[in-house]
Amino acid sequence: MDPELLERITARRAELDELEERLAKQLAEVRAERDELAVAEKVLERISEQLAEERAADAPTPGQVGGRAVMLIPHREPDVEEVMLPPDYQRILAAVRQAAGPVMARQVGEMLGVDVNEPSWNHCAGNWSD
């Protein structure tokens, strides 16, 4: 056999062995990170479920007034967060905050995309401010 050719083969084999080692190490790192992400995803899923259950338990519940279902709103207290309010009330608060100053109920309705030309809006004449 040709010694020069044999030397080239040996050198190439050494390069490939080194590359294989680097790739095996990189593959192990990728697999470890994937495993960590899977664990993080499960933890996040579990925490999200717990938060959703807590929020559902703390959410306002419908009540009855005059035979009609109505949403009961918690009394305003310093430690009560807006997320405790029904979504429609949260939208109303956001609309009032966006205004430069006090707004008429009709303006809030317009900001929320409600048809304010219906007769039921005729009694809404007061100013709202946060």
Side-chain angles (χ1 to χ4, degrees), residues 34-53:
R34 259 196 194 160
D35 291 343
E36 290 171 0
L37 288 174
V39 169
E41 192 173 34
K42 287 179 183 178
V43 169
L44 179 63
E45 199 173 291
R46 195 172 305 139
I47 290 172
S48 295
E49 289 172 0
Q50 289 173 349
L51 286 174
E53 289 172 7

Side-chain angles (χ1 to χ4, degrees), residues 9-104:
I9 291 172
T10 304
R12 182 64 180 150
R13 180 172 286 140
E15 288 173 6
L16 292 175
D17 288 346
E18 186 180 314
L19 178 61
E20 182 181 27
E21 272 185 51
R22 285 194 319 253
L23 290 175
K25 182 179 177 183
Q26 190 176 8
L27 180 59
E29 290 170 357
V30 166
R31 286 180 175 159
E33 187 174 347
R34 259 196 194 160
D35 291 343
E36 290 171 0
L37 288 174
V39 169
E41 192 173 34
K42 287 179 183 178
V43 169
L44 179 63
E45 199 173 291
R46 195 172 305 139
I47 290 172
S48 295
E49 289 172 0
Q50 289 173 349
L51 286 174
E53 289 172 7
E54 288 174 13
R55 286 182 183 140
D58 293 339
T61 55
Q64 291 284 324
V65 174
R68 293 181 53 194
V70 295
M71 185 60 70
L72 300 177
I73 306 303
H75 292 286
R76 189 165 178 115
E77 296 177 14
D79 60 339
V80 174
E81 307 239 350
E82 280 184 30
V83 294
M84 299 292 293
L85 296 172
D88 287 339
Y89 283 81
Q90 292 177 34
R91 289 179 50 220
I92 290 169
L93 283 175
V96 171
R97 284 196 179 105
Q98 287 176 354
V103 291
M104 301 291 284

Side-chain angles (χ1 to χ4, degrees), residues 101-119:
V103 291
M104 301 291 284
R106 181 176 294 276
Q107 291 171 294
V108 173
E110 290 170 348
M111 293 165 82
L112 297 176
V114 175
D115 182 7
V116 295
N117 294 318
E118 289 187 20

